[in-house]
Amino acid sequence: MAETRRFSPAHLRETGKSADDLGDYVQKALKRLEDAHQGVQGGADGFAFASGLTKVFNSWNHRLGALHGEWWSIAATFHTNAGNDQHGWYSGWRGRPFR
C-alpha cells in the first residue's frame, strides 16, 4: 500500500522562496565572478596564462550557471505544487548559464 503524505502549501511556498533565494545568490556569485574575470583578463592581456584563465572562467561560469538553473527548477516545482504559480512565472522557465 502506498503511503500518501500531505504538505502544507505554506511550507511548500517557504521552501520555494528559499530555493529562489539560493538561485539569486548563485546569480550574484556569477556576476562577481564575471566582474573579477574581466578585471584580471584586462591586466593579463598578452601573458601566456591569459587563455588558461579564460578556460577556467568558462568552466566555472558553465557549472554555476547550471547550478543556478537547478535552483530555479527546484523553486518552480515547490511553487507549482503549492498552487503559487497562477501567473505562469515558472512554467516556461528553462535553466541556462547566466551571462
Side-chain angles (χ1 to χ4, degrees):
M1 185 168 151
E3 184 178 335
T4 302
R5 295 179 186 240
R6 296 187 187 269
F7 295 94
S8 160
H11 288 125
L12 292 173
R13 277 190 293 276
E14 185 61 32
T15 304
K17 173 76 171 90
S18 295
D20 283 334
D21 292 345
L22 286 167
D24 290 344
Y25 181 81
V26 172
Q27 185 173 359
K28 289 174 186 171
L30 279 163
K31 178 66 175 138
R32 287 193 305 268
L33 175 67
E34 184 176 3
D35 291 347
H37 176 71
Q38 294 301 322
V40 171
Q41 186 180 30
D45 237 5
F47 288 98
F49 66 87
S51 67
L53 285 176
T54 299
K55 288 179 185 176
V56 170
F57 168 76
N58 288 338
S59 173
W60 277 107
N61 187 55
H62 177 74
R63 292 173 193 195
L64 290 173
L67 180 62
H68 180 251
E70 286 299 317
W71 280 118
W72 273 95
S73 177
I74 291 167
T77 299
F78 283 112
H79 285 295
T80 299
N81 286 304
N84 197 29
D85 193 29
Q86 305 96 334
H87 304 288
W89 292 331
Y90 296 95
S91 54
W93 194 86
R94 297 287 182 261
R96 61 175 166 67
F98 173 75
R99 289 230 77 213

